[in-house]
């Protein structure tokens, strides 16, 4: 039976550590890191996510602002809003809640964010930095996956890792991070011919396809580490992209849904915001 990787407990520990580090900063007269979340429209799921980001950023002692724009705002208003926060010295992180309502150009909005404040790690410069292995802000969900793998004590070095899903938000960056840690990585997608065989060969499986229980438990290799990124609402219940009940019998470590990767993503957003604050201060001091 697999050990459950408790993302909720891990996220709580990270937030406590962040609160402590921010207290230590402000005690010396340094300013608190600042995060702004920009929400366009009234998508209920986005409202929940934004609410959580607001609450948790305030709880760790950050300056936290929320901008809401109507769904029918022109793109130029969103860009002007982002630019106004690019110019604010007390703001270190700018997060545009995705997806944007129909009609908005998401890529243009993300590209408008100052890369040093792109705490979601989605700006092309930060994505390019990940690809080339240079310093930059890494995207939150992929670093959450890596952090959770880290808690198991399993070192990806030399292991066979299979990522199911190739989105720019999750699958591709997770694959790059696993590669950076010397895993041999296979990146699967909807056209992969034998997903079962691919998953069956994996020491580490990261499932991020958005298809409920696509990865069947009996596919999992005995002793594998299974990270389930999926969040699917089925009959009012949240389930992952992995068939948990069966996978749990074969894996050595597995994340639950909910309570695995989900809670970690906001904690990592806050880590990225503090790191951006420190990096920006250093750049201003010319260190
Ligand atoms: P996308 O829809 O952008 O990408 C899904 C990927 O899965 C695509 O690459 C697609 O392949 C692949 N895929 C779809 N069907 C299959 C299939 N039958 N077999 C193999 N691959 C398949 O999703 P995201 O990456 O944005 O999100 C993935 C999941 O993670 C979702 O459930 C989402 O809710 C969740 N999520 C969770 C987060 C968290 O904080 N825990 C954060 C972000 C996302 P192709 O490219 O060929 O179409």
């Amino acid at each position: 039976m697999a050990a459950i990787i408790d993302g909720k407990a891990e996220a709580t520990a990270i937030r406590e550590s962040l609160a402590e580090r921010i207290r230590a900063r402000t005690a010396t007269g340094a300013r608190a890191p600042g995060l702004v979340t920009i929400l366009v429209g009234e998508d209920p799921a986005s409202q929940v996510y934004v609410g959580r980001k607001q609450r948790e950023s305030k709880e760790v002692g950050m300056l936290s602002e929320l901008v809401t724009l109507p769904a029918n705002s022109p793109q130029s208003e969103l860009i002007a809003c982002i630019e106004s926060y690019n110019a604010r010295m007390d703001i270190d992180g700018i997060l545009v809640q995705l997806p944007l309502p129909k009609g908005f150009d998401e890529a243009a909005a993300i590209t408008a964010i100052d890369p040093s404040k792109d705490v979601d790690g989605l700006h092309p410069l930060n994505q390019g930095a990940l690809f080339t292995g240079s310093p930059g802000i890494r995207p939150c969900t992929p670093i959450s996956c890596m952090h959770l793998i880290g808690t198991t004590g399993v070192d990806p070095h030399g292991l066979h890792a299979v990522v199911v899903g190739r989105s720019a938000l999750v699958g591709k960056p997770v694959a790059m991070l696993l590669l950076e840690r010397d895993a041999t990585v296979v990146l699967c997608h909807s056209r992969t011919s034998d997903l079962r065989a691919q998953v069956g060969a994996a020491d580490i499986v990261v499932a991020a396809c958005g298809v409920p229980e696509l990865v069947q438990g009996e596919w999992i290799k005995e002793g594998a580490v299974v990270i389930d990124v999926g969040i699917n609402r089925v009959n009012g219940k949240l389930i992952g992209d992995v068939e948990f009940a069966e996978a749990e019998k074969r894996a050595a470590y597995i994340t639950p849904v909910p309570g695995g990767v989900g809670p970690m993503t906001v904690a990592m957003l806050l880590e990225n915001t503090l790191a951006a604050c420190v990096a920006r201060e250093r750049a201003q001091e010319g260190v």
Side-chain angles (χ1 to χ4, degrees):
M1 214 55 167
I4 306 296
I5 306 173
D6 188 344
K8 207 170 161 192
E10 197 55 36
T12 303
I14 290 170
R15 286 198 307 274
E16 283 170 3
S17 153
L18 272 163
E20 191 48 51
R21 282 176 280 156
I22 292 170
R23 258 197 304 277
R25 272 180 63 84
T26 51
T28 65
R31 64 177 178 81
L35 173 69
V36 61
T37 306
I38 303 172
L39 173 64
V40 186
E42 291 173 356
D43 175 66
S46 292
Q47 285 175 331
V48 171
Y49 293 139
V50 164
R52 193 174 301 156
K53 288 166 188 171
Q54 279 274 292
R55 191 177 64 246
E56 294 185 6
S57 55
K58 281 184 187 153
E59 276 169 12
V60 300
M62 290 186 178
L63 164 71
S64 179
E65 293 194 12
L66 170 66
V67 178
T68 53
L69 297 175
N72 62 0
S73 307
Q75 170 95 9
S76 57
E77 192 177 337
L78 172 60
I79 301 292
C81 175
I82 292 168
E83 284 171 349
S84 72
Y85 281 99
N86 283 344
R88 285 255 306 258
M89 296 304 285
D90 57 344
I91 292 293
D92 305 287
I94 302 174
L95 184 133
V96 176
Q97 184 64 39
L98 302 177
L100 289 170
K102 263 205 174 77
F104 281 88
D105 181 345
E106 278 188 4
I110 289 165
T111 308
I113 299 171
D114 175 341
S116 72
K117 299 187 179 190
D118 166 43
V119 283
D120 240 353
L122 298 177
H123 189 287
L125 263 181
N126 284 317
Q127 296 236 324
L130 170 61
F131 196 81
T132 54
S134 348
I137 303 176
R138 306 299 194 225
C140 305
T141 302
I143 54 175
S144 301
C145 297
M146 296 307 293
H147 186 96
L148 292 176
I149 293 169
T151 65
T152 67
V154 173
D155 183 354
H157 180 102
L159 296 185
H160 192 79
V162 169
V163 180
V164 185
R166 58 174 164 182
S167 72
L169 188 65
V170 190
K172 277 186 202 164
V174 168
M176 293 311 301
L177 291 169
L178 283 161
L179 197 58
E180 212 167 61
R181 297 290 309 280
D182 296 325
T184 301
V185 184
V186 174
L187 190 47
C188 299
H189 46 81
S190 67
R191 313 300 151 89
T192 297
S193 60
D194 189 351
L195 189 61
R196 178 189 184 132
Q198 295 295 349
V199 170
D203 305 304
I204 299 174
V205 180
V206 179
C209 52
V211 182
E213 296 187 342
L214 175 78
V215 176
Q216 292 175 30
E218 61 172 21
W219 298 359
I220 302 292
K221 181 171 158 181
E222 290 281 346
V225 177
V226 178
I227 306 292
D228 190 350
V229 183
I231 302 178
N232 309 288
R233 191 169 286 279
V234 179
N235 299 328
K237 222 179 130 202
L238 285 188
I239 59 168
D241 291 346
V242 176
E243 187 195 9
F244 182 86
E246 281 305 308
E248 186 190 21
K249 295 178 190 159
R250 303 173 66 86
Y253 300 94
I254 189 167
T255 58
V257 177
V261 179
M264 282 292 295
T265 297
V266 181
M268 287 304 178
L269 168 74
L270 303 181
E271 279 285 1
N272 274 353
T273 305
L274 175 57
C277 174
V278 172
R280 292 180 60 252
E281 278 173 353
R282 289 210 174 120
Q284 280 155 18
E285 288 161 8
V287 181

